[in-house]
Amino acid sequence: MAEAHRILVLHGPNLNLLGQREPEIYGRTTLAEIDAGLAAAAKGMQAEVECFQSNHEGVLVDRIQEAMGRRDGIVINPGAFTHTSVAIRDALAATDLPVVEVHLSNVFAREDFRHRSYVSGIALAVISGLGAGGYTAALQGLVAHLERPV
Ligand code: DQA
């Protein structure tokens, strides 16, 4: 049997508050429920996920760097760092791994400052506005990309 695809799932600042944080925008699903859903979905996709959340930019950069040579792809919701962090973009680019950027909300239907992403330019794909289901879609798309015929 082929080896499982090793996917790193990263959640940025304030996503630890999912379920209680502005539920009209982000929904009622908690981060633990999202991570459990991803782990279950991964089993049916020949994949395994490692999920990690931090409110700290440098900690996220460290985790991205650690993925080099150890992971096959990254799903990331950088939260507010999406709109501010050159460091996270540079770290993702340095890994040379396929990256899918996820947002629970449709950032393009919100404030202007959310329309710019430092990550999108180096991402394989961006999913924005599908709520918690966007993470599963990201995982599916990433695995399909890893299994594409070369
Ligand atoms: C978010 C959108 C960001 O603009 C915001 O700062 C977040 C969450 C989303 O998932 O919709 O923290 O990334």
Side-chain angles (χ1 to χ4, degrees), residues 63-75:
R63 289 300 282 241
I64 293 165
Q65 289 185 6
E66 283 165 23
M68 291 170 86
R70 297 200 186 90
R71 298 279 148 194
D72 301 311
I74 298 175
V75 171

Side-chain angles (χ1 to χ4, degrees), residues 12-15 18 21-22 25-26 77-83 101-107 110-111 113-115 127-129 135:
N14 300 307
L15 295 171
L18 284 181
R21 172 194 183 201
E22 298 181 274
I25 297 175
Y26 299 115
N77 182 347
F81 290 144
T82 307
H83 319 296
E101 175 185 348
V102 176
H103 301 286
L104 294 141
S105 63
N106 177 357
V107 288
R110 300 181 63 195
E111 303 95 326
F113 66 85
R114 296 186 203 274
H115 296 181
I127 296 173
S128 186
Y135 286 93

Side-chain angles (χ1 to χ4, degrees), residues 27-82:
R28 298 240 173 236
T29 309
T30 65
L31 193 61
E33 288 167 343
I34 288 174
D35 289 347
L38 282 171
K43 281 192 188 147
M45 295 183 207
Q46 190 72 14
E48 63 183 41
V49 290
E50 180 192 355
C51 301
F52 179 76
Q53 187 275 334
S54 178
N55 293 326
H56 304 279
E57 186 176 18
V59 174
L60 290 165
V61 168
D62 286 343
R63 289 300 282 241
I64 293 165
Q65 289 185 6
E66 283 165 23
M68 291 170 86
R70 297 200 186 90
R71 298 279 148 194
D72 301 311
I74 298 175
V75 171
I76 183 167
N77 182 347
F81 290 144
T82 307

